[in-house]
Amino acid sequence: MTEVNPQKVSAPEADEQARVEAAAVAPSGPGNGRLALGRIGEARHLGLLIALALLAAVGLITAPDTFATTSNMVSLLALASTIGVITVGSTFVIIGGGIDLSVGAVMALASVWATTLATQAYGPVVMAICAILVGTGAGLVNGFLISYGRMVPFIATLAMLVAARGLAQRMSERRTQLVSQDNSALVELSTTRVLGLPLLVYIFAVVVIIGWLILNRTTFGRRTYAVGGNPEAARLAGIDVRRHTMLLYALSGLCCGIAAVIIMARTTTGSSTHGDLYELDAIAAVIIGGTLLTGGRGTIIGSILGLLIFTVITNLFILNGLNTSDQLIAKGLIIVVAVLLQRRSLQTAT
Amino acid sequence: MEDISREQTDNPSLLLMRGIVKQFPGVRALDGVDLDVRAGEVHCLLGQNGAGKSTLIKVLAGAHQPDSGEVLLDGQPVRLANPTAAMRQGIATIYQELDLVDGLSVAENIFLGHEQATFGFTRRGEMFAATRELLARLGHGEIRPSTEVGRLSPAGKQVVSMARALSHEARLIVMDEPSAALAHDEVMNLFRIIRELTGQGVAVVYISHRLEEIREIGDRVTVLKDGRTVAVGLPARTTPTATVVSLMTGRNVEYVFPPRPTGGFGDEVLRVENLTVPGVVSGVSFTVRAGEIVGLAGLVGSGRSEIMEAVYGARRATGTVLLNGKQVKLGDTANSVRIGMGLAPEERKAQGLLLDQSVARNITLASLGRYSRFGWLNRKQESDEAERLVKALDIRPPDPNRPIKTLSGGNQQKAVLGRWLVEGRKLLLLDEPTRGVDVGARAELYALVRRLADEGVGVLLISSEVPEVLGLADRVLVVRDGRIIHEAPATELDEHHVLDLVMDATPSHG
Ligand SMILES: Nc1ncnc2c1ncn2[C@@H]1O[C@H](COP(=O)(O)OP(=O)(O)OP(=O)(O)O)[C@@H](O)[C@H]1O
Ligand SMILES: [Mg+2]
């Protein structure tokens, strides 16, 4: 590194030497590069894991009797499941260069729609399908407005946020709708445990795995990075950017629908107040996970780790009986610190 | 001829760079480079793709910090800690990859970052006036200061970058491949400005892969190879080309075009009838046969790129396009790719590259369908293919997993081309395919394009370098003001004839 080589070179004999040296360096050069990059990729997730471990340590110290209990861990994961599923969808949208502010509202709408008396009459399976269809439908509307109506994602999904909440309030007449006794099978998603964990945690895990596979192992995932990274280049490479964008929002909506099923199971209700500010938590998790808001870059695993960090913080505050305002301040700080750290690791990487 | 005496005067150096070393992860881009530039000279920097030219000028511009070595201006050591520091020292840089803000106006771009610093302009009116003056000086009075930069052609953007460099009162202007985006007449214009500047004692560091240009405008030459200086202060006009090329490449490159096929061409691959792009292209008709390379010659702004983009469906147009006799749905690039077209666009950074992604992912982007079943990627097959193409194109460093933004400009360009070098293409549309590619690699690219044609692909080619069109194409279409005004086999045309045809226009283009 520090070896300086200010040889005065002027003619072909030096050239020969350079070639020999270049040849000697060549095989190791690219290999090093790959290694270094691999290391940085891992380092980013490693940073998140360390943060998580630190938080866990804080939990063990400040709340030794309550934090490391099975029941706390289970409720922590159950809590993370709802936003977790949404976060998977948001990760796709953000890598694809967009943003979805309507996730919480769409989830609320889906939960309300699925718990109306009319829907409940058809049983739990139809309720779940209804929630998923409502979510996907809302996502499609978002996608259509953005890709074919050429609306800015922020505005289109903001409009959807407001409208979906309004519609949910209208449908429920601002009342919380209970999942009826006949449909308690739906609630069993949260009460039935396999290997100690409620079924809905498995739903969350499956969504994460499928999301990861789609993003990393399919042409759709590859194209998502392209569409977010350079839409013009993607278009010229023959990718139907508009259709793809539309599908990304539909996917996000689909995740909201699944999240609605989870929240109905957890709370046994459908309500227009479900998922308030979920959009912010989801976006924050994605950002902490290292996904760029400008698109073209990011990982599902990062987002999930980001989400877990958020969830553990919430949990710690609750266990220690601290007030929620402090919790918000802490979360705000975490976002800032995470982004600053990533900025630094990006700079050293390139 | 008096210029030659200037080469020999013992002008003290304006800029001295000594033993500059710059290490990137896995690559030592500069390994002890020396550069010595005198006031009032045009100092050319030559070297193959990836030799370290851009890295060296980024060090000079304060954009990169060297690991070791020193920089002296007027004999005084200086530290160029950031681009602003370099500008304060009177060093202005035009980067290889244009760094303009598309959303801002021409005037705002020119004065970005130094709104008051140098000129004391605070008011819009004065900024506009100064912009107008600069653009007029560059021979482009028709560009309006209020125009959004994103709407300008690549050549227009190049002019704005020039204006930005001129807006600093610089004593040293560095130009990294400024002519790559320019057509012949624009290059002449550029040279006129360079002469004007050097006449005032400003030094210019000029990078180009076009050796004729070096001969015409250069005073002295420094040659880089693999991050080292292999020759300093060669006289630009009298050093034989062969010497320069062998210094650069370490071998003797024949700057020749591959032989044309002796037999006839195949069936008609492309038929274009009455293609019209409102305001740019009016009623163009032509054909391309299988195995044929058809060149579009014309000035920047003549409508040649627009013709290509319209055929490909990347631009709104009316008219008829037939591929292998079947009508092509206009305005749908996804469909065009599906039926066998491929376009290598003009602006690699804005239109071609996924900068955050690896070389491999950039190369396979357009052909993902080939490495997948039901959308599921066969990653082994994909990476094998990427590896094959990286080798075929001699992309350096030959590591498909490296982020593409760490490659030199010429190597990025090869990756953009590589995207289409897969089986099943019937028609390739190549817009300035050799932009920024060095002499050695260029000859290889020519051979590659010819080989594709020999395999039955139809090729439509745009190049601002007339000799390239004449040497590589079988048939040439001369475009002017959005019309094809002449068509002839390449062998029946010579450079002067084409230039006459191309320029003999009422000067109305933008
Ligand atoms: N940010 C970076 N990170 C890692 N490697 C880099 C980076 N920038 C440049 N390099 C490497 O440094 C070497 C020199 O690149 P440079 O851009 O200076 O070449 P160049 O002479 O300008 O070539 P060209 O004629 O193609 O523009 C190349 O091997 C390139 O891959
Ligand atoms: Mg360069």
Side-chain angles (χ1 to χ4, degrees):
Chain A
M1 274 299 267
T2 47
E3 158 237 26
V4 189
N5 201 353
Q7 279 176 330
K8 263 284 176 207
V9 275
S10 56
E13 65 267 33
D15 176 31
E16 189 52 50
Q17 180 197 344
R19 203 176 324 150
V20 172
E21 290 198 14
V25 180
S28 68
N32 282 347
R34 193 179 309 161
L35 236 155
L37 286 167
R39 229 183 283 139
I40 287 156
E42 283 160 26
R44 190 159 57 182
H45 289 165
L46 195 65
L48 293 170
L49 281 172
I50 291 173
L52 207 50
L54 284 177
L55 286 174
V58 171
L60 286 175
I61 294 164
T62 56
D65 315 322
T66 44
F67 182 74
T69 58
T70 335
S71 74
N72 187 47
M73 286 298 137
V74 167
S75 73
L76 210 150
L77 280 177
L79 195 69
S81 299
T82 328
I83 302 187
V85 169
I86 289 178
T87 302
V88 171
S90 289
T91 307
F92 273 89
V93 168
I94 293 175
I95 291 176
I99 192 135
D100 190 349
L101 297 177
S102 68
V103 286
V106 167
M107 186 191 79
L109 176 63
S111 76
V112 166
W113 205 313
T115 49
T116 54
L117 291 178
T119 320
Q120 294 219 33
Y122 291 97
V125 175
V126 172
M127 285 170 70
I129 292 175
C130 168
I132 288 170
L133 285 181
V134 169
T136 312
L140 276 172
V141 172
N142 278 334
F144 186 81
L145 291 176
I146 291 160
S147 50
Y148 296 94
R150 293 172 189 270
M151 280 177 78
V152 182
F154 191 94
I155 293 171
T157 58
L158 183 65
M160 177 59 78
L161 183 166
V162 179
R165 278 254 184 255
L167 186 57
Q169 285 175 5
R170 203 109 202 246
M171 286 183 88
S172 63
E173 291 163 342
R174 294 179 182 247
R175 280 196 296 260
T176 300
Q177 301 176 157
L178 283 177
V179 174
S180 68
Q181 216 62 58
D182 305 336
N183 295 321
S184 61
L186 195 70
V187 180
E188 279 168 20
L189 287 177
S190 107
T191 50
T192 310
R193 298 195 174 194
V194 176
L195 299 175
L197 289 173
L199 282 177
L200 53 82
V201 174
Y202 291 95
I203 297 183
F204 171 39
V206 167
V207 169
V208 170
I209 291 169
I210 293 179
W212 189 89
L213 287 173
I214 292 179
L215 195 56
N216 294 288
R217 292 286 185 268
T218 67
T219 54
F220 184 87
R222 226 22 107 55
R223 290 181 179 140
T224 302
Y225 284 102
V227 166
N230 188 344
E232 175 69 359
R235 188 174 73 106
L236 291 180
I239 295 171
D240 192 334
V241 175
R242 288 205 224 166
R243 198 182 65 132
H244 196 93
T245 306
M246 173 119 169
L247 291 176
L248 286 175
Y249 286 94
L251 188 74
S252 175
L254 173 79
C255 288
C256 297
I258 299 174
V261 174
I262 295 179
I263 204 147
M264 288 188 293
R266 257 184 47 213
T267 62
T268 72
T269 61
S271 161
S272 60
T273 60
H274 278 331
D276 198 24
L277 294 184
Y278 272 24
E279 57 279 357
L280 295 187
D281 279 358
I283 293 168
V286 172
I287 293 173
I288 292 175
T291 297
L292 290 190
L293 266 191
T294 44
R297 194 162 177 160
T299 63
I300 295 254
I301 301 191
S303 301
I304 296 307
L305 289 174
L307 175 76
L308 288 179
I309 289 176
F310 249 44
T311 317
V312 172
I313 291 180
T314 312
N315 187 248
L316 288 180
F317 273 82
I318 293 171
L319 290 183
N320 288 305
L322 297 172
N323 78 40
T324 47
S325 325
D326 294 342
Q327 175 187 330
L328 291 178
I329 296 170
K331 284 183 174 177
L333 285 175
I334 292 268
I335 296 178
V336 172
V337 170
V339 170
L340 285 178
L341 285 179
Q342 274 154 21
R343 171 97 39 85
R344 273 196 48 192
S345 83
L346 280 183
Q347 269 168 2
T348 48
T350 54
Chain B
M1 283 299 107
E2 311 87 6
D3 292 301
I4 290 176
S5 64
R6 202 169 70 206
E7 289 167 13
Q8 281 146 2
T9 55
D10 289 71
N11 234 343
S13 301
L14 170 69
L15 168 77
L16 259 181
M17 295 177 91
R18 276 204 293 246
I20 304 287
V21 173
K22 177 73 193 174
Q23 173 87 38
F24 290 116
V27 174
R28 181 166 272 208
L30 300 176
D31 192 9
V33 172
D34 303 323
L35 183 68
D36 157 21
V37 182
R38 298 171 189 162
E41 78 165 341
V42 177
H43 196 103
C44 299
L45 204 52
L46 287 180
Q48 278 183 290
N49 294 133
K53 304 179 296 294
S54 297
T55 308
L56 183 67
I57 68 115
K58 280 183 191 153
V59 168
L60 187 53
H64 281 328
Q65 292 308 307
D67 298 324
S68 68
E70 54 176 353
V71 181
L72 289 89
L73 270 175
D74 277 336
Q76 299 299 313
V78 288
R79 209 173 87 79
L80 306 167
N82 53 50
T84 322
M87 264 170 221
R88 263 197 222 109
Q89 294 288 347
I91 301 171
T93 309
I94 303 170
Y95 293 103
Q96 180 172 13
E97 308 294 346
L98 299 178
D99 54 345
L100 302 172
V101 184
D102 274 351
L104 293 181
S105 72
V106 169
E108 284 162 339
N109 262 288
I110 291 176
F111 290 98
L112 192 67
H114 65 123
E115 286 84 356
Q116 308 100 340
T118 325
F119 281 71
F121 294 114
T122 43
R123 283 193 300 277
R124 200 174 137 87
E126 287 174 30
M127 212 159 86
F128 273 33
T131 301
R132 244 175 250 122
E133 197 179 300
L134 283 167
L135 291 171
R137 192 169 152 206
L138 290 167
H140 280 275
E142 84 285 351
I143 299 179
R144 282 187 301 133
S146 56
T147 309
E148 206 175 277
V149 159
R151 293 159 177 261
L152 296 176
S153 68
K157 289 182 184 173
Q158 185 72 51
V159 171
V160 175
S161 303
M162 286 282 296
R164 179 153 87 186
L166 292 182
S167 72
H168 302 276
E169 278 162 350
R171 0 179 221 171
L172 177 68
I173 299 190
V174 185
M175 305 183 181
D176 195 354
E177 302 195 30
S179 58
L182 303 181
H184 188 269
D185 63 327
E186 307 263 349
V187 176
M188 292 304 120
N189 200 9
L190 172 69
F191 286 179
R192 183 180 57 72
I193 297 153
I194 291 180
R195 291 202 183 92
E196 207 175 278
L197 288 166
T198 51
Q200 297 160 2
V202 174
V204 173
V205 173
Y206 189 89
I207 300 178
S208 173
H209 287 292
R210 301 181 187 172
L211 299 178
E212 329 76 77
E213 289 179 6
I214 308 289
R215 252 177 230 311
E216 189 170 345
I217 192 73
D219 292 313
R220 296 191 307 148
V221 174
T222 292
V223 181
L224 294 189
K225 179 168 188 299
D226 297 332
R228 290 167 184 229
T229 315
V230 291
V232 290
L234 297 177
R237 256 149 262 204
T238 49
T239 313
T241 303
T243 313
V244 175
V245 172
S246 76
L247 278 168
M248 275 169 62
T249 61
R251 63 198 160 107
N252 294 317
V253 176
E254 294 268 328
Y255 191 60
V256 287
F257 294 99
R260 298 194 168 85
T262 43
F265 301 113
D267 294 338
E268 206 172 86
V269 178
L270 176 73
R271 167 172 285 275
V272 174
E273 280 165 7
N274 210 10
L275 188 72
T276 300
V277 178
V280 211
V281 177
S282 24
V284 167
S285 304
F286 63 93
T287 61
V288 178
R289 311 185 76 88
E292 188 184 25
I293 303 177
V294 175
L296 288 176
L299 298 178
V300 173
S302 62
R304 27 172 228 181
S305 292
E306 286 81 0
I307 293 176
M308 212 175 239
E309 288 171 8
V311 168
Y312 189 61
R315 192 176 268 277
R316 255 171 228 272
T318 58
T320 317
V321 175
L322 300 162
L323 190 79
N324 284 345
K326 281 203 211 75
Q327 185 146 354
V328 176
K329 191 169 144 210
L330 289 177
D332 183 351
T333 54
N335 179 58
S336 302
V337 170
R338 212 172 305 123
I339 60 176
M341 293 196 211
L343 171 92
E346 184 175 17
E347 270 190 272
R348 62 174 164 260
K349 196 171 164 191
Q351 303 179 296
L353 296 174
L354 306 175
L355 283 174
D356 281 335
Q357 304 280 324
S358 67
V359 175
R361 289 193 173 193
N362 271 279
I363 288 184
T364 57
L365 180 66
S367 48
L368 286 174
R370 297 170 52 84
Y371 323 117
S372 63
R373 285 184 71 192
F374 308 114
W376 186 263
L377 281 169
N378 181 337
R379 295 192 310 144
K380 172 90 175 67
Q381 201 184 345
E382 186 196 1
S383 69
D384 285 353
E385 183 71 358
E387 207 149 306
R388 182 182 75 76
L389 287 166
V390 164
K391 280 218 187 74
L393 290 157
D394 192 24
I395 292 175
R396 291 182 204 184
D399 174 10
N401 297 318
R402 185 170 266 279
I404 199 152
K405 67 175 158 208
T406 70
L407 260 58
S408 76
N411 283 303
Q412 293 178 352
Q413 179 68 30
K414 293 188 214 165
V416 171
L417 275 181
R419 192 173 284 170
W420 299 111
L421 303 186
V422 289
E423 282 163 44
R425 294 297 106 190
K426 301 191 179 93
L427 175 72
L428 286 186
L429 308 161
L430 309 179
D431 199 346
E432 303 277 6
T434 60
R435 176 191 277 190
V437 173
D438 71 48
V439 240
R442 222 171 251 234
E444 282 156 31
L445 280 186
Y446 295 152
L448 196 71
V449 172
R450 177 53 77 187
R451 203 168 342 117
L452 284 169
D454 288 345
E455 286 165 12
V457 179
V459 178
L460 192 60
L461 168 85
I462 291 179
S463 173
S464 292
E465 287 168 75
V466 177
E468 187 169 285
V469 176
L470 293 180
L472 188 58
D474 298 304
R475 191 151 50 89
V476 176
L477 312 175
V478 181
V479 184
R480 196 171 73 200
D481 292 334
R483 291 195 168 78
I484 293 177
I485 55 157
H486 191 76
E487 173 177 348
T491 45
E492 289 172 18
L493 291 165
D494 65 40
E495 191 172 350
H496 283 288
H497 188 192
V498 174
L499 285 176
D500 282 346
L501 285 168
V502 153
M503 290 200 270
D504 184 21
T506 41
S508 63
H509 78 277

